Amino acid sequence: MSYQDLIYGVEAGIATITLNRPERMNALTPRLEAEIHHAFDAADADRAVRVIILTGNGAAFCAGYDQAPPSNSGARLTDPKGKSHADFIEYWQRTDAQRIAHWTHMWRLGKPIIAAVNGWAMGGGFWYQLAADLTIASDKAVFAQPEVRHVSNTTFLFPALCGWKAANRWALTGDHFDAQEALRIGMVNEVVAHDELMERTVALGLRIALVPEPSVRLNKAVTMMGIQAAGLYSGLILEGAFSALAHSSHNEFREQLFEAQRNHGLKAYLEMRDGPFQPEPMGPRSAKGRAQRAKNKKASPNKGRRR
């Protein structure tokens, strides 16, 4: 199969799946998500592949689900305008159930998935790196679930992995946090220099590949099937119901957000949603992050100029 929105390659027993919509920060569309899971299956079926790496091209790992409308109408699929209450609820029930199926699909694979987070990991991208078996983060990585600010859901994977105190701090605000905070709360395995991300991730993959295949496959199953049997899957079933309820809770504020997008575009939508939260306490939009960017710009005054 040829892929339109990702790059798939195999080298030295490692299948690398690179999300390739850099102009949209690798935002997820139905087509891209279908391609990701087809690539997972292709890698799993290839006996020459021992490890799968999931990463992104450009400045983002994945910025979440694409918020742009699919047409020139100014409205997106999640906009309830013109839909009956029943159709709107059905859309979200089916969509949220499918997302949980995507994560459990990852856990059923016999090959471990390492997420190499090269930049922004937000919304659905945040969830994919949570669901990966291992996560290596660039020191430039930024994590967030800003969608909670427009009446949406977090995922039970977050407190299951990091504990409910840590998860609530970020899931109840939608605030961004950096790679070091992700490491502190146990969300990622390691933080590495940005330029070394793929080298270090491949090195880990090659180290895993030294272990006999049945041992890797069965020990992944011990962990991932065991966690589900211990209650994680029950939590995800409950999450699916609450996610659909959250997404269907279209109130006056969200209608104002959608009206801003219909009339003035996505930028106006994001400014209305995120403006009251600025500056962020952590990450590139924080006061610290802005000061660091100004410092870097001052230290490299010729950077970006044509010669």
Side-chain angles (χ1 to χ4, degrees):
M1 175 179 175
S2 59
Y3 300 103
Q4 296 187 52
D5 291 334
L6 63 77
I7 301 169
Y8 180 85
V10 178
E11 184 176 352
I14 297 176
T16 301
I17 300 169
T18 305
L19 309 189
N20 192 35
R21 299 185 72 217
E23 75 287 353
R24 297 291 302 169
M25 295 180 70
N26 301 319
L28 296 166
T29 62
R31 181 174 69 191
L32 175 55
E33 203 158 24
E35 289 185 352
I36 290 169
H37 288 272
H38 184 280
F40 284 155
D41 283 334
D44 200 43
D46 187 345
R47 296 186 68 83
V49 170
R50 296 295 313 281
V51 175
I52 301 166
I53 294 174
L54 179 66
T55 192
N57 183 21
F61 172 74
C62 174
Y65 288 92
D66 202 328
Q67 302 296 308
S71 65
N72 294 326
S73 67
R76 47 182 169 168
L77 293 175
T78 57
D79 191 335
K81 188 174 184 179
K83 300 182 179 74
S84 70
H85 292 301
D87 286 345
F88 190 55
I89 292 170
E90 179 194 16
Y91 170 82
W92 279 117
Q93 183 185 16
R94 293 183 183 278
T95 298
D96 289 322
Q98 184 60 46
R99 287 173 186 168
I100 292 169
H102 284 157
W103 303 331
T104 56
H105 174 226
M106 295 166 68
W107 301 336
R108 288 195 306 270
L109 301 181
K111 318 289 173 69
I113 300 171
I114 307 174
V117 181
N118 53 297
W120 298 90
M122 299 185 292
F126 181 94
W127 297 343
Y128 267 96
Q129 63 82 28
L130 276 175
D133 299 294
L134 298 155
T135 300
I136 308 297
S138 155
D139 57 7
K140 294 184 179 180
V142 181
F143 303 88
Q145 297 175 99
E147 66 274 16
V148 302
R149 298 172 179 173
H150 62 233
V151 192
S152 185
N153 62 291
T154 181
T155 172
F156 183 63
L157 293 182
F158 197 12
L161 180 61
C162 302
W164 56 276
K165 294 279 189 177
N168 279 343
R169 167 60 186 89
W170 304 108
L172 297 183
T173 62
D175 284 341
H176 296 69
F177 58 97
D178 60 22
Q180 289 300 327
E181 174 67 2
L183 181 65
R184 187 190 72 82
I185 64 178
M187 196 179 77
V188 305
N189 295 89
E190 188 177 358
V191 176
V192 302
H194 183 74
D195 293 342
E196 298 176 5
L197 175 64
M198 292 309 297
E199 178 185 351
R200 297 282 289 273
T201 305
V202 168
L204 176 58
L206 293 173
R207 190 166 183 82
I208 292 171
L210 293 173
V211 179
E213 185 277 335
S215 186
V216 172
R217 172 169 40 85
L218 293 171
N219 278 296
K220 170 176 174 171
V222 166
T223 299
M224 304 317 300
M225 298 301 106
I227 287 175
Q228 291 180 78
L232 177 62
Y233 189 65
S234 297
L236 291 179
I237 292 174
L238 189 63
E239 175 189 325
F242 278 114
S243 297
L245 184 61
H247 286 134
S248 302
S249 297
H250 187 72
N251 61 8
E252 294 82 0
F253 174 67
R254 194 201 273 171
E255 179 59 28
Q256 291 171 9
L257 288 174
F258 280 173
E259 190 65 22
Q261 180 166 349
R262 293 174 198 133
N263 295 329
H264 305 291
L266 181 59
K267 185 176 180 181
Y269 173 98
L270 294 175
E271 286 177 351
M272 179 181 289
R273 185 192 72 177
D274 296 331
F277 293 90
Q278 302 303 321
E280 295 273 3
M282 191 179 291
R285 294 179 176 175
S286 66
K288 179 181 178 182
R290 291 171 179 174
Q292 184 62 50
R293 287 202 303 277
K295 181 179 178 181
N296 293 342
K297 185 175 181 180
K298 186 176 181 180
S300 305
N302 295 320
K303 186 176 181 179
R305 292 183 182 177
R306 294 186 177 183
R307 295 182 179 179

